Amino acid sequence: MRFLSALATASIASIAVATDNTNSPKVIPVSFGRSTNRQPALHRRAGTYSQELNNNLTGGGYYAQVTVGTPPQTVDLVVDTGSSDVWILDSRANLCRSKTMQNYYGYCLSTYDPSKSSTYSIVSQDEFSIRYVDGSGAEGDYIRDTFSIGGADIKKLQMGLAENSTINSGLLGIGFAANVASRTPYPNIMSLFEDQDLIAIQAYSLYLDDLYAETGTILFGGLDTQKFIGKLKIVDIEPDRTGNYSSFTVPLSSLTTTADNGTITNYTRSTVSVILDSGTTLTYVPYTMANRIFRAFGAVDDTSGTGLVYINCEHLDNKNFTFDFQFGGNDGPIIQVPIDEMVLDNVKQYIELGLDVPSLPFDNVCSFGLQGSSDYYLLGDTFLRSAYVVYDLTNKKIGLAQANLNSTESKIVEITKSGIPDASGVASQVIATQTAGSGNSSSGTSSDTPGSETSEGASSRVVPAPSWEVLVMVSMASLSGLMGAGLVML
């Protein structure tokens, strides 16, 4: 049983701020924005260069538009911090030719034709094979070709070329090279960013913005002090069981909630190692923790049936209620996730499209952006939209701060060989008003004064009801695919 959510083709503009001047900062800004195009496809799941990302509201995917080959072919890829391979769909892939598969997995969003590229070369036939925790995957050849993102040209990047796939778009895996799917290790995109002197070290920052934002940004080689609040605090990345670094695992020391009246409830009994994974839609914590939260909120766990946890939409009336995630101990960073990022008003639309919701003790039905797990503990997009995250692969560090949502200003700082800088963002949250589907329009101001370590106003934004224009089709089966294809099965 699976959930198949609608995917939309990205409409993306990349902005390059790096120049050929060797003295200029090496930062590659890549923007992403939510598409408003209707797309009948179904999708299973979920210097500084800047790349724009496309926010797929219903499925949680964030898409970067890149080019591959010579002459360049445009391809839209899911940005995934939970895996390490870049792979693209072959124009002759089974999914792209089979109507039966398309009815189940969705139409291919964008593909690559190796016969049309003069710089294409094959590395190894039939050796690319990748599987994700939601059961989806792809297989084919490993190839090399020119890869361009955010104005940066990466020469001879090794990529998977999927000839067989149950995913209708490729992925941009930007994790540790040690986590590539190949049996033979190879330098992945983050390695080549550094090796080809495009960025100083293997580091980038991720700003997803809020659930209804049109745009967000990933900065390869830099960070933006206008996109976060207060002090950027550093947490060590934890090694895996073999002592290697293969995922962005950090210690979650506490998960509490803060109610409108200031009441704080702690749901953590011990530190939990969690993975920061942009390729995962929801947030997954241990069952024991999740069940305590479900009881407190009167939520109904139907993940074994429809794949959703149901919760009363009335919780959205608690405008200042937050879920507070603290990392690395009592002095570590705290990220406050507003109630409207965790309680998702999407079930009514699913019902209209045929979802058979079980009998529930409440009529105003929403879905919960947090679920229990026994295998992987993942902080996906329902968490990451509230955080500004800096990933330093070279020094094995993560920088975290409260995201300054709906920010329209930018002040980019290069991440040099010394690692994540001691940086402070704005003093408080921008107060912004949005019209769903029309982009961001700030109706307030944010202080440019750095140094404040408060995260006041984490939920002090005016956000309307979601626009469901991008919600196209949902299968009448399970919604288990919300986990997303982000984390690779080892």
Side-chain angles (χ1 to χ4, degrees):
M1 301 176 70
R2 296 170 173 83
F3 167 70
L4 309 177
S5 67
L7 284 184
T9 303
S11 176
I12 302 164
S14 300
I15 306 170
V17 299
T19 70
D20 292 332
N21 186 338
T22 56
N23 294 321
S24 64
K26 296 176 181 177
V27 181
I28 307 168
V30 182
S31 300
F32 52 84
R34 191 179 76 228
S35 173
T36 58
N37 297 332
R38 288 186 178 272
Q39 169 66 33
L42 301 176
H43 184 52
R44 175 169 198 247
R45 303 202 326 186
T48 301
Y49 298 86
S50 170
Q51 174 65 54
E52 184 173 84
L53 304 182
N54 167 49
N55 173 10
N56 170 26
L57 179 62
T58 61
Y62 288 83
Y63 296 85
Q65 189 172 88
V66 305
T67 63
V68 182
T70 307
Q73 301 176 42
T74 300
V75 181
D76 299 319
L77 302 178
V78 176
V79 175
D80 184 17
T81 63
S83 64
S84 302
D85 293 85
V86 174
W87 66 266
I88 51 182
L89 276 172
D90 192 307
S91 59
R92 301 164 297 173
N94 62 345
L95 177 58
C96 305
R97 294 182 286 111
S98 169
K99 295 296 184 183
T100 301
M101 291 187 67
Q102 290 167 14
N103 289 337
Y104 194 77
Y105 298 111
Y107 305 125
C108 295
L109 293 184
S110 56
T111 63
Y112 161 84
D113 186 345
S115 68
K116 295 181 179 180
S117 175
S118 62
T119 47
Y120 156 83
S121 64
I122 190 164
V123 177
S124 53
Q125 288 184 323
D126 301 325
E127 289 195 11
F128 169 65
S129 180
I130 194 164
R131 290 291 178 271
Y132 301 96
V133 295
D134 70 341
S136 61
E139 58 187 18
D141 302 332
Y142 271 113
I143 67 165
R144 287 195 185 99
D145 209 337
T146 298
F147 184 93
S148 298
I149 181 170
D153 295 329
I154 299 174
K155 307 299 183 184
K156 297 183 178 180
L157 174 66
Q158 182 165 328
M159 296 169 278
L161 179 60
E163 297 170 356
N164 299 302
S165 178
T166 57
I167 306 173
N168 61 352
S169 65
L171 267 75
L172 178 67
I174 48 177
F176 289 101
N179 195 36
V180 296
S182 174
R183 295 178 181 177
T184 304
Y186 69 88
N188 73 343
I189 186 171
M190 292 309 302
S191 301
L192 293 188
F193 260 129
E194 181 182 20
D195 293 347
Q196 296 182 15
D197 200 31
L198 296 169
I199 57 180
I201 66 172
Q202 295 183 43
Y204 57 87
S205 58
L206 188 65
Y207 174 72
L208 298 185
D209 213 340
D210 72 20
L211 183 60
Y212 313 118
E214 297 271 342
T215 59
T217 306
I218 181 169
L219 293 173
F220 292 102
L223 57 86
D224 190 340
T225 59
Q226 291 292 310
K227 297 297 189 291
F228 62 91
I229 301 166
K231 186 75 171 178
L232 190 68
K233 292 189 175 183
I234 310 301
V235 179
D236 289 334
I237 298 174
E238 297 180 341
D240 59 29
R241 295 175 182 177
T242 67
N244 295 318
Y245 291 88
S246 56
S247 66
F248 297 119
T249 302
V250 292
L252 176 65
S253 49
S254 71
L255 172 53
T256 62
T257 56
T258 302
D260 290 357
N261 61 7
T263 301
I264 298 175
T265 305
N266 186 10
Y267 295 98
T268 314
R269 292 178 178 172
S270 60
T271 298
V272 178
S273 295
V274 295
I275 298 173
L276 304 179
D277 183 10
S278 68
T280 293
T281 306
L282 304 183
T283 290
Y284 295 83
V285 298
Y287 274 118
T288 53
M289 182 188 300
N291 288 334
R292 289 196 292 273
I293 295 172
F294 296 163
R295 287 193 295 270
F297 284 82
V300 177
D301 186 351
D302 192 49
T303 51
S304 61
T306 58
L308 287 178
V309 174
Y310 296 99
I311 189 170
N312 196 327
C313 291
E314 291 181 356
H315 288 292
L316 290 171
D317 296 334
N318 302 318
K319 300 299 184 182
N320 296 315
F321 194 100
T322 59
F323 293 82
D324 305 332
F325 296 74
Q326 184 165 31
F327 302 87
N330 293 333
D331 295 328
I334 299 174
I335 305 300
Q336 294 182 308
V337 178
I339 190 73
D340 60 356
E341 289 284 357
M342 278 293 179
V343 177
L344 307 174
D345 190 6
N346 52 9
V347 176
K348 298 178 185 68
Q349 286 70 29
Y350 293 158
I351 292 173
E352 291 175 1
L353 293 167
L355 176 66
D356 187 12
V357 175
S359 177
L360 298 169
F362 42 84
D363 296 324
N364 194 6
V365 184
C366 284
S367 68
F368 206 2
L370 180 146
Q371 294 190 6
S373 174
S374 59
D375 299 318
Y376 299 94
Y377 309 138
L378 309 172
L379 302 190
D381 298 334
T382 53
F383 164 82
L384 289 172
R385 279 187 285 267
S386 300
Y388 190 85
V389 188
V390 183
Y391 301 79
D392 182 349
L393 288 72
T394 298
N395 297 296
K396 315 300 188 297
K397 305 286 186 181
I398 292 287
L400 284 163
Q402 191 75 34
N404 180 25
L405 302 175
N406 309 133
S407 169
T408 58
E409 303 298 323
S410 184
K411 185 181 292 183
I412 295 175
V413 176
E414 182 183 8
I415 302 173
T416 64
K417 292 186 181 297
S418 60
I420 300 173
D422 183 15
S424 295
V426 299
S428 61
Q429 171 66 57
V430 168
I431 305 300
T433 302
Q434 289 181 295
T435 301
S438 63
N440 300 336
S441 59
S442 176
S443 62
T445 59
S446 65
S447 170
D448 292 333
T449 305
S452 169
E453 298 200 24
T454 65
S455 55
E456 61 179 337
S459 58
S460 60
R461 55 204 167 93
V462 181
V463 180
S467 168
W468 295 103
E469 294 179 355
V470 297
L471 181 60
V472 184
M473 298 174 69
V474 179
S475 76
M476 281 67 79
S478 167
L479 301 181
S480 61
L482 282 172
M483 177 171 282
L487 191 67
V488 178
M489 291 290 290
L490 299 177

